[in-house]
Amino acid sequence: MDATTAPHRIPPEMPQYGEENHVFEMMQAMLEQLLIHKPPDPIPFLISHLQQNNDNVPRIVILGPPASGKTTIAMWLCKHLSSNLITMDSLVAKEFPFLPAAAQAYYQKNKQVPNLLLIRMIRRRLAQEDCVQRGWILDGIPETRDQTLMIQTCGISPRHVIVLSAPDTVLIERNLGKRIDPKTGEIYHTTFDWPPDFEIQSRLQIPEGISELETAQRLLEYHRNIVRVIPSYPRILKVISADQPCVDVFYQALTFVQSNRRSNAPFTPRVLLCGPRGSGKSLQAALLAQKYGLVNICCGQLLKETVADQSKLGEVIQDYLEKHWTVPDSIIMKMLSQRLSQQDCLQRGWVLHGFPRDLDQAHLLASTGHKPNRVFFLNVPFDSVMERLTLRRTDPVTGERYHLMYKPPPTMEVQGRLLQNPKDSEEQVKLKVDLYYRSSAELERFYGEAITLNGDQDPYTVFEYIESGIINPLPKKVP
């Protein structure tokens, strides 16, 4: 773009397309791959990367002390996510026949392999087609800071890192109860997971290295290493207590790995607030506009402003208002489109309330290209709406607004002259609420990614929920 033509008139469809298709994240991922691999010819490399279409497959590391249950959680995640479980034993079992004799002897003695050889095996395994297409879960790797740095240096970057934690006394007790089936390799426990089959019970054996002293030594080694591994994953790491039922640990881990990270993409909020009269849309819109600098667009207020401008469109709207007729959707949409296309809305974003009220209006709004990227439905019980609206009063002398329950007038004199807006009568409120709820189900289906909130609570609590919904990334469509 030519800098001399600023401010640039960017069509609203451009940022909308970028957000919906995650263009920024895609470009960021490609740049990361270029910097990691430094291919001699970047274009074919990027084409190959895009064809793999695997930016969102699981890439998970699960760490934890002995007996924390990390292998069990890794196996369950692997089955749930249809991914590939990679352990030290599985790597060695696959590569053992091809290892040098010295490496075989080293592994048989120490149950470990040299770091360089381990990283080489991991790279080969992760480059295979099943890992590329379905992702991977590393169980207990990396163990040390040296392994962590080597993994990062060769471009292996997990998206989620889980660290299980539990008191050493609990872990030692768990480890002492372990039993292994030599026939199947399944691990059981004398307290938590004893097999019902007597034949399996009779052949269970005590694994090597689970005595109290050996477990304590392994725990000491783990604690020395894990404090140097954790700082390498500052934004993608979650510590989960393993001192709880295994199912609870699994669901916490699953929730974490299925969450999206905060996006660094440039983001212009286009917020739509839906709800019946009295649900607090105006207050929430004002709070959002104040904190984030959004343009606060109330459809009813915009009608009055358009009439006051004495434009041709305002004259048309004034005719309808003077005759107490409903302004047609097409005219409202023309007015809204003009306002949403102005430079302040395109640059700062907007929060809209009062429109759309039904499915036809929602289709009209979408057809103009002004599609909201955050939609909130504020649900408030009918009794609460009646309480909020029918008890509102206005002082005709001072213009001050009161509420007979929440903000009563200061004196009997003021109370005696208070007037009620005809729109706040019980009949009018009931009519408006009924009309809203007749269309709300269709609107919620139309805005499938909308967030529904309980609006019948402290307004600042509602605002915090809305705020979290704006900050969190847009859900990604599952292919």
Side-chain angles (χ1 to χ4, degrees):
M1 292 183 179
D2 184 359
T4 61
T5 63
H8 303 297
R9 301 289 177 175
I10 301 174
E13 295 83 4
M14 287 180 60
Q16 179 179 319
Y17 177 85
E19 290 164 18
E20 289 179 350
N21 294 277
H22 307 281
V23 172
F24 183 91
E25 291 88 345
M26 180 175 62
M27 298 297 293
Q28 187 178 38
M30 290 194 296
L31 181 59
E32 286 176 357
Q33 294 301 311
L34 283 177
L35 295 175
I36 289 170
H37 297 283
K38 300 183 178 69
D41 194 347
I43 300 302
F45 174 84
L46 290 178
I47 292 173
S48 174
H49 172 76
L50 290 172
Q51 288 174 339
Q52 289 176 355
N53 191 27
N54 68 342
D55 285 336
N56 297 317
V57 299
R59 297 197 296 272
I60 303 167
V61 167
I62 299 184
L63 306 174
S68 60
K70 61 181 179 295
T71 299
T72 301
I73 299 302
M75 291 172 58
W76 288 3
L77 285 175
C78 183
K79 291 178 182 178
H80 191 90
L81 301 173
S82 300
S83 191
N84 298 281
L85 179 60
I86 299 172
T87 66
M88 180 79 75
D89 291 339
S90 68
L91 287 171
V92 172
K94 191 176 184 66
E95 300 280 348
F96 192 81
F98 310 104
L99 294 181
Q104 292 183 10
Y106 183 86
Y107 176 75
Q108 289 174 337
K109 180 181 179 181
N110 302 296
K111 293 302 178 184
Q112 291 181 335
V113 294
N115 288 343
L116 284 173
L117 181 58
L118 173 65
I119 302 305
R120 198 178 308 136
M121 290 193 297
I122 292 175
R123 290 186 67 178
R124 277 204 294 265
R125 180 68 185 92
L126 299 188
Q128 293 177 3
E129 186 66 19
D130 56 344
C131 287
V132 171
Q133 295 300 323
R134 296 191 285 116
W136 44 265
I137 300 174
L138 282 177
D139 175 18
I141 305 172
E143 294 181 334
T144 65
R145 178 165 173 78
D146 288 343
Q147 291 181 5
T148 305
L149 294 177
M150 293 173 72
I151 284 175
Q152 290 179 333
T153 302
C154 67
I156 299 172
S157 55
R159 299 181 71 235
H160 299 91
V161 176
I162 297 170
V163 176
L164 302 183
S165 174
D168 287 355
T169 52
V170 172
L171 297 171
I172 291 173
E173 183 181 351
R174 282 188 187 180
N175 221 24
L176 292 175
K178 274 186 181 179
R179 298 295 182 268
I180 189 167
D181 185 344
K183 186 175 180 180
T184 63
E186 288 285 329
I187 296 176
Y188 297 92
H189 197 278
T190 55
T191 304
F192 307 114
D193 187 20
W194 192 244
D197 191 331
F198 180 77
E199 182 182 350
I200 297 176
Q201 295 176 13
S202 61
R203 66 173 183 252
L204 293 183
Q205 298 178 357
I206 300 176
E208 295 181 1
I210 67 166
S211 68
E212 186 171 347
L213 179 60
E214 290 171 308
T215 303
Q217 290 175 340
R218 291 171 59 198
L219 285 171
L220 180 61
E221 185 69 18
Y222 169 80
H223 291 311
R224 285 174 178 167
N225 287 319
I226 194 64
V227 294
R228 302 180 66 206
V229 171
I230 286 177
S232 300
Y233 301 110
R235 294 191 179 94
I236 58 172
L237 183 140
K238 182 177 180 64
V239 178
I240 299 176
S241 171
D243 189 16
Q244 55 181 323
C246 198
V247 173
D248 294 342
V249 178
F250 167 70
Y251 279 113
Q252 289 181 42
L254 181 63
T255 300
F256 173 61
V257 301
Q258 288 182 328
S259 64
N260 293 322
R261 283 183 288 173
R262 280 274 302 273
S263 172
N264 294 319
F267 171 53
T268 303
R270 300 186 299 277
V271 184
L272 173 62
L273 299 180
C274 298
R277 275 195 70 205
S279 59
K281 300 187 298 295
S282 298
L283 175 58
Q284 297 303 325
L287 292 173
L288 286 172
Q290 180 182 17
K291 182 165 184 178
Y292 293 101
L294 308 184
V295 179
N296 185 357
I297 301 177
C298 171
C299 188
Q301 184 64 30
L302 187 59
L303 284 170
K304 297 176 183 177
E305 292 174 1
T306 306
V307 170
D309 288 342
Q310 297 183 343
S311 62
K312 289 185 178 180
L313 184 60
E315 292 175 0
V316 174
I317 294 174
Q318 186 174 14
D319 289 340
Y320 284 96
L321 296 181
E322 288 176 349
K323 297 175 182 177
H324 302 286
W325 290 351
T326 301
V327 181
D329 290 347
S330 58
I331 295 177
I332 293 178
M333 198 60 253
K334 184 176 181 181
M335 172 192 70
L336 270 178
S337 184
Q338 289 179 358
R339 183 67 186 92
L340 295 175
S341 298
Q342 291 180 16
Q343 196 65 20
D344 57 346
C345 288
L346 296 178
Q347 289 182 340
R348 293 158 47 196
W350 45 262
V351 52
L352 172 65
H353 51 109
F355 189 94
R357 299 178 184 271
D358 55 41
L359 186 60
D360 291 338
Q361 292 181 349
H363 280 294
L364 272 176
L365 182 63
S367 68
T368 62
H370 300 288
K371 183 179 179 183
N373 52 22
R374 297 293 189 274
V375 181
F376 300 92
F377 284 86
L378 306 181
N379 284 344
V380 179
F382 175 74
D383 290 343
S384 296
V385 172
M386 295 293 289
E387 182 182 276
R388 290 182 181 186
L389 298 182
T390 60
L391 299 181
R392 295 196 301 195
R393 298 291 188 273
T394 303
D395 185 345
V397 176
T398 63
E400 185 74 20
R401 293 184 177 184
Y402 295 97
H403 192 280
L404 298 183
M405 181 176 293
Y406 303 123
K407 187 186 175 183
T411 65
M412 294 299 295
E413 179 186 356
V414 174
Q415 183 172 349
R417 65 176 184 245
L418 294 183
L419 298 176
Q420 183 186 44
N421 189 318
K423 293 182 179 179
D424 290 340
S425 67
E426 188 171 335
E427 296 78 11
Q428 285 295 316
V429 172
K430 187 175 185 303
L431 176 63
K432 293 293 185 181
V433 173
D434 286 345
L435 285 173
Y436 169 77
Y437 280 113
R438 285 179 191 175
S439 305
S440 62
E442 290 181 333
L443 276 177
E444 289 183 22
R445 283 194 296 270
F446 182 80
Y447 294 113
E449 296 173 350
I451 298 173
T452 301
L453 302 175
N454 174 19
D456 191 22
Q457 49 187 331
D458 180 78
Y460 291 96
T461 301
V462 177
F463 178 70
E464 288 178 1
Y465 281 115
I466 293 176
E467 201 173 22
S468 67
I470 292 174
I471 293 172
N472 288 333
L474 282 169
K476 294 185 179 179
K477 297 179 181 178
V478 179

